[in-house]
Amino acid sequence: MGKTGSWRVFRPVVDRLKCVKCLRCWVFCPEGVVRREEDGTVSIDYEYCKGCGICAAECKVKAITLVREEGDGGK
Amino acid sequence: MIDTGNYIAAKAAVMAKPDVVAAYPITPQTTVVEGIANYLEKGEFTGEYICVESEHSAMSACIGASAMGVRTFTATSSHGLLLMHEMLHWAALARLPIVMCNINRVIGPGWNIWADENDSISQRDTGWIQFYCSSNQEIFDTIIQSYKLAENEKVLLPVMINYNAFILSHTSMPVDIPDQREIDEFLPKFKPKWNLDINNPVTFGNIIGPEYYIKVRKAMQDAHKNAKKLIPEIAREWKKKFGRFHGDLLEKYRCDDAEYILLAMGAIAAESKVAVDEMQRKGLKIGLARIRTFRPFPKESILQLSENADLIVIDRNISVGSEGVLFNEVKAALYHKSDARVNGFITGLGGRDVTYKDIESMCRKTVEGKANECEWYGI
Amino acid sequence: MAIKDFPIEEYVLPGSAACPGCPATIALRIVLKALGKKTVMIVPACCTAVIESLYPHTSFNIPVMNIAFEAAAAGAAGVEAALRKLGKNDVTVLAWAGDGGTYDIGLQALSGALERETNFIYICYNNQIYSNTGIQRSGATPYAAWTTTTVGGKKEFRKEMGDIIRAHHIPYSAQTCISYPDDLYNKVKKAKEIEGPKYIEILTPCPPGWRFSMEKTVEMGRLAVETGVWALYECKNDVVTFNGKSRLILENKIKRVPIEEWMRPQGRFKHLFVPKKDVKRIKALEEHIEKIWERYRKYYI
């Protein structure tokens, strides 16, 4: 297994205040890198997120935005 | 018990207590799988019997079952074996101790169901251990011994037990069948070294890079080397327990003081014993070395035989464009190490009968210096 | 079951070799959540053989056996027989193959295993192409689609695998799609509880294969269902029930979205729109889909 986050171009950023806890991002994430937090919202494991953007595309309330990576290897 | 090679094979398979048998019918193998079906019906075989829809699936199902860590058996012949080819490689590379009988039969076209060894010879490089039997008793004994060999953790390779179509498969001979208890003592339950296990979620057979793949091949080769040591040990353990011995990697017959040694496999080798008796009676110093295991190849034993004798090889197969395969390999075994002359004959293809008289005339031609290095007999 | 109630356990581990936006891993995550830890998976040659990653690593947290392309169902039959002999009745055998390994090269072994009433779940994740080998046509590729072996567009319509499966009269078969996770989860869960052979086919829209942008994977599956290119249904003991939007389409309660909506975002249909719209071929596919629905309505209402 590789740290697949290193070649990501866009990173998804979650606005936890907007999140309605529907978990569509969690279920549709191909990598299983959307973490379920205790408060019912979500966060992203950037070590392995490949930046496909499905989570942002499928978020009904636009709580996830894609931000261009700055070339720091995903950190 | 007096019965045909196939029913004896079925009896041996059932007495080895495989957990899963998966098979598909093909002439002349059919009576093996029918025999097992009858044992199932009578309750004497208690394993799972999968009547698959092809030989490819037969081997695939054996692979699945063996990977679960249970004992498996199948049988096939000719085109069935060829259809399995991909999965033969798979079984060996996956290091699964599957045991299979192959009844040597001609490959078409044209359709022909008689004896010919090109089916199994063309599986030479699959990594399987290959035995060639010359009697129904040997079929029984070799099947049981094969499980012990295959399942040894120094081997963990599949084993193919070959015998000629009809000459053995459908010919009745008296065979001594030990008690089930004695078989169980000789062949305890299979304890797998690895298997698919929900408590140990491992992935088997995934993508492998060159740095590891070459090691996998090397490990198979090492396992064959180990088998070379174990085959005689197991044969001797069998002899001690049951009083019967069919040879180590090869069986020597009247080789003492022989000036020529005949090398052959399968039914021709059995017939060769008669020919050797006949020739020795007439004063010809010819012995026989019957190849019992073609893989691993008994290179060292053959080299040893060549120290005091020239060799005559009879092949019931041909690598078209080259020569008889056994002839080819015997020569390679001697390369740079022996001055012995080697003569090869290709005969018996398509089920042509090869009698002791034929064998004698091939030998005489060689002894009289009239034979070419490699020639056809009986065209 | 609601998404939030899906088990939290993950059996597909992050860091796999899947392409970004891969539908196969979405499907597999949900499938394995439904099946749980006591599952043995048999994988023939397909994308998943790559996704599982390089030896000596693995991306899967269940035991997996790889097997040759055409051999998934037969290999699974062997695993199942061994489990039965070992008395392990609580382990699910899952054969997980692509459409190439199911519609084409693996069809014989699959048919045999279904006919023999093998107690397993066979799942075909259908991305309508040989994607692992670089996007070649399969029996599941739709009419007019570009692939590397149908450069001007496929000339034939796809095979109706569902019909072939139902001809085996197995206890359970279903079609679903990654875009409907609850539908997918419930169908797998249902299959798990049924004895005998089960077949589930999951439509898995493939970004590099279908030539669409990787964030659109789920959307493309949704459009496939809304346009009627793909139907969600299940067949239990020979009774077919349509599900979700497919049911509404079947009962004429909603109209199918024009097929162009599904085709246009896909680069594999670009030659039907640029430089000039190929009305004839688009219509041919539309009519073909309509014919399928007419047949569905005739038999399954």
Side-chain angles (χ1 to χ4, degrees):
Chain A
M1 296 191 300
K3 302 244 162 134
T4 49
S6 60
W7 38 265
R8 186 174 53 239
V9 181
F10 289 95
R11 69 159 67 192
V13 176
V14 184
D15 183 343
R16 285 168 77 176
L17 293 174
K18 277 194 188 170
C19 175
V20 293
K21 307 173 185 178
C22 71
L23 295 174
R24 284 172 63 80
C25 55
W26 173 72
V27 82
F28 284 130
C29 175
E31 304 303 319
V33 294
V34 176
R35 286 184 296 234
R36 291 168 67 165
E37 298 296 338
E38 275 183 23
D39 64 356
T41 64
V42 294
S43 64
I44 312 286
D45 174 0
Y46 291 116
E47 293 236 296
Y48 295 109
C49 167
K50 292 172 183 166
C52 69
I54 288 176
C55 53
E58 291 303 315
C59 180
K60 297 270 188 190
V61 294
K62 295 190 166 38
I64 303 175
T65 44
L66 292 174
V67 179
R68 184 172 278 279
E69 292 289 352
E70 309 267 318
D72 60 353
K75 297 288 166 189
Chain B
M1 183 171 177
I2 298 175
D3 222 327
T4 63
N6 279 353
Y7 284 123
I8 293 299
K11 179 77 182 166
V14 167
M15 290 186 83
K17 296 184 177 171
D19 299 288
V20 175
V21 172
Y24 186 78
I26 181 169
T27 304
Q29 155 265 33
T30 40
T31 45
V32 180
V33 293
E34 289 167 8
I36 294 171
N38 284 327
Y39 287 119
L40 180 76
E41 193 62 29
K42 286 190 282 184
E44 288 173 42
F45 170 56
T46 56
E48 296 289 330
Y49 190 20
I50 318 176
C51 295
V52 284
E53 80 301 325
S54 74
E55 287 89 354
H56 194 282
S57 287
M59 189 44 61
S60 300
C62 284
I63 286 168
S66 190
M68 279 303 304
V70 305
R71 190 171 281 168
T72 58
F73 178 80
T74 187
T76 191
S77 178
S78 182
H79 287 262
L81 186 70
L82 303 193
L83 184 59
M84 277 184 189
H85 178 75
E86 178 190 28
M87 303 320 289
L88 295 182
H89 276 284
W90 200 283
L93 276 155
R95 304 298 298 275
L96 298 169
I98 297 162
V99 171
M100 167 168 74
C101 284
N102 175 60
I103 294 84
N104 289 118
R105 175 196 135 177
V106 176
I107 297 163
W111 290 119
N112 174 320
I113 55 171
W114 311 110
D116 186 306
E117 285 159 1
N118 254 103
D119 57 355
S120 56
I121 290 292
S122 60
Q123 312 309 317
R124 179 185 71 171
D125 303 332
T126 56
W128 282 58
I129 288 170
Q130 284 198 6
F131 285 99
Y132 286 80
C133 296
S134 296
S135 72
N136 292 358
Q137 184 73 61
E138 191 182 10
I139 293 170
F140 183 93
D141 296 354
T142 307
I143 289 171
I144 307 291
Q145 290 177 29
S146 290
Y147 279 104
K148 191 149 189 161
L149 176 69
E151 292 166 4
N152 186 297
E153 66 168 55
K154 287 183 182 157
V155 178
L156 287 177
L157 286 168
V159 179
M160 189 187 300
I161 296 117
N162 297 284
Y163 53 92
N164 283 186
F166 298 100
I167 305 169
L168 264 68
S169 70
H170 287 66
T171 303
S172 286
M173 298 178 191
V175 174
D176 182 59
I177 309 284
D179 290 344
Q180 183 69 55
R181 185 186 48 79
E182 291 176 297
I183 297 285
D184 292 347
E185 279 168 13
F186 179 83
L187 181 68
K189 217 171 146 45
F190 173 39
K191 289 196 191 79
K193 195 168 174 171
W194 66 271
N195 62 289
L196 293 165
D197 179 4
I198 52 165
N199 296 313
N200 181 27
V202 173
T203 294
F204 293 102
N206 51 341
I207 294 180
I208 183 167
E211 71 275 32
Y212 290 108
Y213 186 84
I214 193 168
K215 291 182 186 174
V216 171
R217 282 294 192 192
K218 168 79 165 45
M220 286 171 79
Q221 178 74 349
D222 291 344
H224 267 269
K225 278 189 193 159
N226 295 338
K228 259 188 185 175
K229 281 195 208 118
L230 274 158
I231 290 163
E233 280 176 28
I234 292 170
R236 276 155 216 286
E237 187 188 339
W238 184 267
K239 185 184 178 185
K240 208 173 152 195
K241 193 161 176 61
F242 301 108
R244 284 189 304 276
F245 181 67
H246 305 283
D248 297 320
L249 298 169
L250 50 75
E251 179 193 20
K252 287 183 223 168
Y253 182 73
R254 303 186 72 175
C255 286
D256 297 341
D257 304 326
E259 290 167 5
Y260 290 88
I261 290 171
L262 185 56
L263 288 119
M265 310 194 290
I268 291 181
E271 190 71 7
S272 294
K273 285 190 182 175
V274 182
V276 164
D277 288 345
E278 191 63 16
M279 289 186 286
Q280 292 213 2
R281 195 176 58 79
K282 293 173 186 165
L284 278 175
K285 291 187 172 175
I286 295 185
L288 168 72
R290 182 175 69 85
I291 304 290
R292 193 170 166 243
T293 68
F294 181 63
R295 284 289 180 275
F297 193 66
K299 192 175 155 182
E300 297 79 7
S301 316
I302 292 168
L303 186 62
Q304 211 177 7
L305 290 169
S306 75
E307 281 171 12
N308 302 309
D310 288 337
L311 307 179
I312 305 166
V313 182
I314 303 179
D315 275 292
R316 189 171 235 154
N317 66 75
I318 177 160
S319 174
V320 180
S322 181
E323 312 169 306
V325 175
L326 183 57
F327 174 59
N328 214 307
E329 299 217 355
V330 166
K331 285 192 295 178
L334 308 192
Y335 182 67
H336 264 318
K337 289 176 186 156
S338 169
D339 299 328
R341 281 175 55 95
V342 186
N343 277 83
F345 292 90
I346 295 157
T347 192
L349 304 188
R352 280 274 193 111
D353 209 10
V354 181
T355 65
Y356 71 94
K357 285 183 183 162
D358 296 321
I359 296 162
E360 187 178 338
S361 64
M362 284 181 257
C363 292
R364 280 198 182 275
K365 199 171 178 188
T366 309
V367 173
E368 289 162 10
K370 291 179 187 161
N372 295 321
E373 190 203 356
C374 180
E375 61 175 72
W376 293 75
Y377 176 84
I379 295 288
Chain C
M1 188 187 273
I3 291 169
K4 67 173 173 36
D5 299 322
F6 285 8
I8 196 126
E9 287 81 13
E10 295 289 347
Y11 300 98
V12 181
L13 306 172
S16 79
C19 305
C22 176
T25 47
I26 298 177
L28 197 54
R29 277 186 66 222
I30 298 168
V31 165
L32 294 178
K33 279 175 186 294
L35 294 179
K37 177 178 183 284
K38 291 184 174 179
T39 304
V40 175
M41 181 160 73
I42 293 88
V43 180
C46 62
C47 284
T48 303
V50 176
I51 293 167
E52 68 193 16
S53 305
L54 257 71
Y55 174 87
H57 301 289
T58 182
S59 309
F60 301 145
N61 204 13
I62 51 164
V64 177
M65 178 179 80
N66 284 273
I67 200 148
F69 210 168
E70 65 279 51
V79 169
E80 186 257 358
L83 282 166
R84 196 154 8 105
K85 177 70 185 167
L86 293 168
K88 293 181 180 170
N89 305 320
D90 58 344
V91 178
T92 302
V93 179
L94 168 66
W96 173 263
D99 50 293
T102 304
Y103 281 58
D104 298 343
I105 197 169
L107 184 58
Q108 175 182 318
L110 171 60
S111 177
L114 298 182
E115 182 268 331
R116 292 190 307 270
E117 300 183 0
T118 306
N119 183 25
F120 76 140
I121 305 177
Y122 187 104
I123 296 186
C124 167
Y125 64 105
N126 175 4
N127 56 27
Q128 303 189 324
I129 32 163
Y130 291 85
S131 46
N132 190 28
T133 44
I135 319 168
Q136 292 81 29
R137 95 189 272 286
S138 80
T141 304
Y143 174 76
W146 163 90
T147 69
T148 55
T149 51
T150 54
V151 177
K154 193 185 173 192
K155 291 193 168 64
E156 306 82 15
F157 294 99
R158 73 171 179 87
K159 200 186 274 190
E160 283 292 312
M161 193 64 191
D163 290 351
I164 297 170
I165 296 296
R166 284 195 300 284
H168 292 78
H169 304 287
I170 57 173
Y172 187 79
S173 67
Q175 281 195 181
T176 179
C177 172
I178 48 124
S179 310
Y180 301 87
D182 44 349
D183 186 73
L184 167 57
Y185 183 91
N186 291 337
K187 283 172 177 168
V188 175
K189 199 85 187 159
K190 210 177 270 183
K192 191 189 172 194
E193 302 309 321
I194 295 168
E195 183 84 13
K198 286 83 61 178
Y199 177 90
I200 297 174
E201 188 165 332
I202 310 171
L203 186 72
T204 48
C206 167
W210 296 15
R211 294 280 188 260
F212 62 79
S213 171
M214 61 189 173
E215 78 283 359
K216 287 197 166 74
T217 298
V218 178
E219 189 188 330
M220 292 316 302
R222 214 158 33 229
L223 278 168
V225 171
E226 288 171 1
T227 54
V229 163
W230 191 248
L232 310 176
Y233 64 73
E234 60 189 337
C235 176
K236 200 174 172 189
N237 298 326
D238 285 340
V239 179
V240 177
T241 314
F242 279 64
N243 317 108
K245 281 196 176 140
S246 299
R247 187 186 185 121
L248 299 176
I249 293 170
L250 184 84
E251 294 171 350
N252 281 314
K253 287 185 179 146
I254 58 169
K255 261 187 134 47
R256 288 195 296 111
V257 171
I259 196 171
E260 275 185 62
E261 300 296 313
W262 175 68
M263 294 167 88
R264 209 178 294 110
Q266 297 180 47
R268 63 174 172 164
F269 292 117
K270 194 175 164 195
H271 55 286
L272 301 183
F273 297 96
V274 181
K276 185 164 139 266
K277 197 164 166 183
D278 189 337
V279 180
K280 207 173 146 199
R281 278 202 278 181
I282 296 169
K283 193 166 162 254
L285 186 54
E286 186 79 85
E287 282 173 358
H288 179 74
I289 300 295
E290 188 51 37
K291 231 186 262 171
I292 291 173
W293 281 95
E294 277 166 22
R295 208 172 62 236
Y296 285 160
R297 286 184 188 112
K298 188 172 164 194
Y299 291 113
Y300 303 129
I301 288 189

